[in-house]
Amino acid sequence: MTTDAQGLGAGDSKLRDPRVRAVLYQILVIVLFVAFVYYIADNTIDNLEKLGISSGLGFLQQPSGFGIGIVLIMDYSSQTSTHFDVLLIGIINTLAVSLSGIFLATTLGFIFGVLRLSSNWVVNKIAAVYIEVVRNIPLLVQLLFWYFAVLGVLPLVKESFQLGENFYVNNRGINFPSIVPSDGFWVIPVALLVAIVIGVFISKWAKKRQDLTGETFPVFWSYVGLVIVLPTIAALIMGLPYTIDYPAFGRFGIKGGWVLEPEFLALLIGLSVYTGAFIAEIVRSGINSVSHGQTEAANSLGIRSGLAMRLVVLPQALRVIVPPLTSQYLNLVKNSSLATAIGYADITAIFAGTSLNQTGQAIEVIGITMLFYLSISLIISMFMNWYNKRIALVER
Amino acid sequence: MSEAASTQTQEDVAIQLVGMHKWYGEFHVLKDINLTVERGEKIVVCGPSGSGKSTMIRCINRLEEHQQGQIIVDGIELTNDVKKIDEIRREVGMVFQHFNLFPHLTVLENCTLAPIWVRKTPKEEAEAVAMKFLERVKIPEQALKYPGQLSGGQQQRVAIARSLCMNPRIMLFDEPTSALDPEMISEVLDTMISLAEEGMTMICVTHEMGFAKTVADRVMFMDAGEIIEQAPPQEFFDNPQSDRTKLFLSQILHNA
Amino acid sequence: MAIVKTERHPELPPPVSESGVIGWMRNNLFSSPLNIILTLVSVYVAWVAISGFVSYTIINANFAGETRADCTDTGACWVFIKARFGQIMYGFYPVEERWRVDVGYVLGAIGIFCILSDWVKNKKWPAVYMFAVYPVICYFLFSGGYFGLPTVETSEWGGLFLTLVLASVSIFVALPLGIVLALGRRSEMPIVRMLCVGFIELIRGVPLITVLFMSSVMLPLFLPEGMNFDKLVRALVGMSLFSAAYMAEVVRGGLQAIPKGQMEAANSLGLGFWKATGLIVLPQALKISIPSIVNTFIGLFKDTTLVLIIGLLDLLSIVKTGTTDKEWLGMANEGYIFVAMVFWVFCFGMSRYSIWLENKLHTGHKR
């Protein structure tokens, strides 16, 4: 039987050609999908009309009319600030707690991950208990625990618990003395920047020197020294250009200084402890994945354990650790949305929460909120792809 | 303290194992090992799996710890003292069954890592030495490749060069060809033979009896943690004394 | 000049300092000065934490009584949990109808036992029972209105009962939906693939709470007037879609692990795409993915607590409401510790099971 160029015989039905079928299937899917979207859009428009809810992004220009507990960086007033401002504040607050949380969780995770590998049985088991207990209790339960059971039993402002001279702890937060810059304060951050730049130059110089002579130079301690000494000298030269605002009891509570609200604290601690346990597992399995033979080979060349860890084990372990690690970072950012449950003013709480209640424009508000989280997700994925390509082990 | 050691000068004796015992938990894995290796001697260790041969040589550079007896390398006694362990490891090179090359570094960097960080050699000098040894093992053109790009035989030769870059006086080989495809075994054995001909002190755990016949000064047979028999290769293969040795030889030579 | 050993050396026991308890302690706990300090500090910290916890929850705790006044000891006041136990377990389900929930639990336990146990050889009937018959039974049993059972509105469902309903229904829907999405994502047809990828990545990139907001607030808008979905159904839709996206990724991983040769062999035997997938590829893929599926279920189980935010009365929410009851103010500690322990027992148990399962199944798929 002769077949044409596409492989169909003269008498075969076109419908049996897999390519034709694929096209037909897809057309069907598109038709169904469009019909589905149309049906929903139709209903939505009807319902919105009946409920008197407007559409579009105009609401972002409207004044918000509600107060916000924690406002960073921006100025906010319930009379004049718009819903767009609410969105921005929400984003800032989310990023603030997420970034701090990522930093703390990574620290906790690496420490406990390494402890979990310790040959000391007691230390090993303690780390195991932390990891297994925290991972199996829902984050929300832990958050409520930190917020209500731990921070909730803090004393009233009147009876604040006092740490030393200048720290007050009460149920409205932890009060710190704050640094109020005065004239000439700018030298201190500049000095810090200079210290870092000098540190970079020193590390480059030290590498060259090692290549030439073989001698190593304590780069890390140089950094530490510079970062401490230079800003201190700068401050002294300018005659200590700042005043310290001490928190003190006023008529209506504590005035002055700076406050860390319990909502922020509870969310930060909860997120860090929870994510830290997952990171610890990731670190542990990453380091474990490097075969023991690598350490043995390094040792038999005379390289001691600490150096072997740094030069041989850790570079290989990091390849295995970084992808799931960035995944956990993304989880942490998404989990920060639980702020709603304890009243921290992140984007979900004030924008997708209160603003939505005020304006009723569910689709726009939730859409924008999801867009925010999706962007973060995309940024993290892109970073991960870049990192993976860069450090991939070269093989045949 | 063994009497035999005192009749030879320190310079002559590379390794001494005196009454060495090792246990894994309750299991007595090495029983009363006594061995003296002179400088320039080449010893081949053979025996069934589980006989403790790898464990024994891994004790020599402290990859494993012995619980009783003495190990003296180059006149330095091996104890828990970290400094002594470092000194010994600088003098003893080891080649592993599974190569254990560092996959994230190039071949050249694999070879220069230890000289740069342990002997504090300047980079140029270290690289020159590395190239010299890479030429010795006949793969200088692979210097900038990564281990993952090389064949098994090439990787093992790099591993040998890497150990040689630290200028050890003693080389230990732990079944260096057991993980290689048959056609690559000879290139590695040839390298080891040329090393032996230059006078390197070697202890080699292997099943390659042809190599033993060519190169070894002594062949040792171990079984169940003990050294059962040792003799020059001629005697060992032609006239084994112990029944256990005879049984083992009949099994492996039958399949050779 | 051969040296030959004629007598074999006896097996000796290791020196005392190296073996047994003392040897183990020397090597693991006290092998170096740093280790000694670490051990002592850790043992101290562990002792303080454990003894504190035990004395709070057990030794000094109050178990007997009915009211707040019976909490006389310094430890935890478990009377709080006891007094509200009915609510915690069943929510506001009418007391005289609670037997229906219990019957549901028993029927479910039997089904799960049959599926998991090695005693039951033919898994087909338990599977059909659990996935087709049991859900229907539960629907009629729990909500009533038929067969002479009085109706119980979903707004009265709560506590641990609601948590289990949320988790089970979500997984029932998420598994098949996830499989479809995973197959769709691997499809060669670009439109299908794009839609599946789009859905999966959208859901995985946003927090569960936004999906729950979306389903509870936007679903009524999407549907014609008059069609009213009660709160529980809206939450279930949200949770099921959310889990389906994660399940899809798990199944996709399993599918990727099956060598192409399997599909090729099936095709060459005359099996078309669907038959080959359903009979050959998918069963193997699912078997490999079971540990990850169990892990996803554990995550889902923990995530059910988020319905607190949209006003459903699951286990956590009911306990939280209890702590604001005038009579029981200040019981936050006891409440959350109790909830934590319940979840921990479930989740830790499931994760141990998953590990056991993985070990058991690996014997078939050794690489």
Side-chain angles (χ1 to χ4, degrees), chain B residues 95-159:
Chain B
V95 175
F96 299 85
Q97 182 178 355
H98 295 288
F99 336 135
N100 286 336
L101 290 181
F102 306 133
H104 59 299
L105 302 175
T106 61
V107 162
L108 192 62
E109 286 166 346
N110 261 273
C111 295
T112 56
L113 186 71
I116 288 178
W117 288 92
V118 177
R119 290 205 198 271
K120 312 256 192 242
T121 318
K123 187 165 158 189
E124 260 191 66
E125 200 186 311
E127 285 183 352
V129 170
M131 287 308 295
K132 186 181 86 187
F133 282 113
L134 285 174
E135 275 167 29
R136 272 281 269 110
V137 300
K138 301 204 173 59
I139 40 172
E141 71 282 358
Q142 310 287 356
L144 295 178
K145 292 242 176 86
Y146 285 86
Q149 297 174 290
L150 305 181
S151 73
Q154 291 171 321
Q155 288 188 49
Q156 192 63 300
R157 284 187 278 154
V158 171

Side-chain angles (χ1 to χ4, degrees), chain A residues 13-32, chain C residues 189-192:
Chain A
S13 159
K14 273 255 179 328
L15 278 181
R16 298 236 279 260
D17 182 348
R19 274 161 305 180
V20 172
R21 294 185 100 158
V23 171
L24 284 180
Y25 274 142
Q26 292 182 77
I27 294 182
L28 186 63
V29 167
I30 295 181
V31 164
L32 282 176
Chain C
M189 299 187 263
I191 301 284
V192 172

Side-chain angles (χ1 to χ4, degrees), chain C residues 197-246:
Chain C
V197 170
F199 176 79
I200 294 175
E201 293 304 320
L202 173 67
I203 299 282
R204 275 161 47 96
V206 298
L208 174 57
I209 196 74
T210 53
V211 174
L212 285 178
F213 276 2
M214 191 175 77
S215 69
S216 55
V217 170
M218 283 168 39
L219 218 50
L221 291 178
F222 289 164
L223 297 161
E225 178 135 42
M227 243 183 118
N228 223 340
F229 273 40
D230 74 16
K231 234 168 160 191
L232 176 59
V233 176
R234 280 182 261 159
L236 283 173
V237 168
M239 294 216 67
S240 306
L241 289 178
F242 189 76
S243 332
Y246 286 84

Side-chain angles (χ1 to χ4, degrees), chain B residues 136-138 157 160 177 184-197 211 214-215:
Chain B
R136 272 281 269 110
V137 300
K138 301 204 173 59
R157 284 187 278 154
I160 296 176
T177 57
M184 295 194 248
I185 294 182
S186 57
E187 67 195 54
V188 174
L189 288 181
D190 287 340
T191 312
M192 288 164 67
I193 292 173
S194 79
L195 206 57
E197 280 165 2
F211 174 76
T214 316
V215 144

Side-chain angles (χ1 to χ4, degrees), chain C residues 106-143:
Chain C
V106 169
L107 291 175
I110 295 177
I112 293 180
F113 176 77
C114 289
I115 289 190
L116 298 180
S117 155
D118 282 333
W119 290 2
V120 177
K121 293 298 175 205
N122 185 356
K123 303 284 182 192
K124 187 161 152 229
W125 290 118
V128 165
Y129 164 72
M130 274 309 273
F131 282 95
V133 175
Y134 179 67
V136 174
I137 294 181
C138 280
Y139 174 70
F140 287 123
L141 196 58
F142 296 152
S143 50

Side-chain angles (χ1 to χ4, degrees), chain B residues 46-228:
Chain B
C46 62
S49 66
S51 54
K53 22 186 227 299
S54 289
T55 312
M56 181 183 74
I57 63 169
R58 283 157 64 90
C59 284
I60 295 177
N61 70 349
R62 204 60 170 185
L63 288 182
E64 306 265 4
E65 276 181 37
H66 62 285
Q67 277 85 38
Q68 214 178 301
Q70 285 175 307
I71 300 182
I72 303 169
V73 178
D74 258 357
I76 310 166
E77 184 174 349
L78 191 54
T79 60
N80 271 329
D81 185 344
V82 191
K83 280 221 167 60
K84 297 233 176 83
I85 298 178
D86 280 349
E87 265 189 81
I88 290 178
R89 283 179 175 166
R90 266 177 264 147
E91 299 304 316
V92 175
M94 184 149 192
V95 175
F96 299 85
Q97 182 178 355
H98 295 288
F99 336 135
N100 286 336
L101 290 181
F102 306 133
H104 59 299
L105 302 175
T106 61
V107 162
L108 192 62
E109 286 166 346
N110 261 273
C111 295
T112 56
L113 186 71
I116 288 178
W117 288 92
V118 177
R119 290 205 198 271
K120 312 256 192 242
T121 318
K123 187 165 158 189
E124 260 191 66
E125 200 186 311
E127 285 183 352
V129 170
M131 287 308 295
K132 186 181 86 187
F133 282 113
L134 285 174
E135 275 167 29
R136 272 281 269 110
V137 300
K138 301 204 173 59
I139 40 172
E141 71 282 358
Q142 310 287 356
L144 295 178
K145 292 242 176 86
Y146 285 86
Q149 297 174 290
L150 305 181
S151 73
Q154 291 171 321
Q155 288 188 49
Q156 192 63 300
R157 284 187 278 154
V158 171
I160 296 176
R162 178 177 69 173
S163 299
L164 291 175
C165 285
M166 285 295 280
N167 282 317
R169 303 175 85 180
I170 302 164
M171 282 288 277
L172 304 173
F173 292 86
D174 188 359
E175 306 216 31
T177 57
S178 300
L180 294 176
D181 289 336
E183 65 270 15
M184 295 194 248
I185 294 182
S186 57
E187 67 195 54
V188 174
L189 288 181
D190 287 340
T191 312
M192 288 164 67
I193 292 173
S194 79
L195 206 57
E197 280 165 2
E198 287 180 5
M200 174 69 81
T201 315
M202 282 165 53
I203 303 183
C204 187
V205 173
T206 184
H207 297 299
E208 297 291 325
M209 293 301 132
F211 174 76
K213 286 186 190 158
T214 316
V215 144
D217 294 316
R218 256 191 289 167
V219 181
M220 251 169 61
F221 173 70
M222 279 183 73
D223 180 52
E226 298 179 74
I227 302 178
I228 305 294

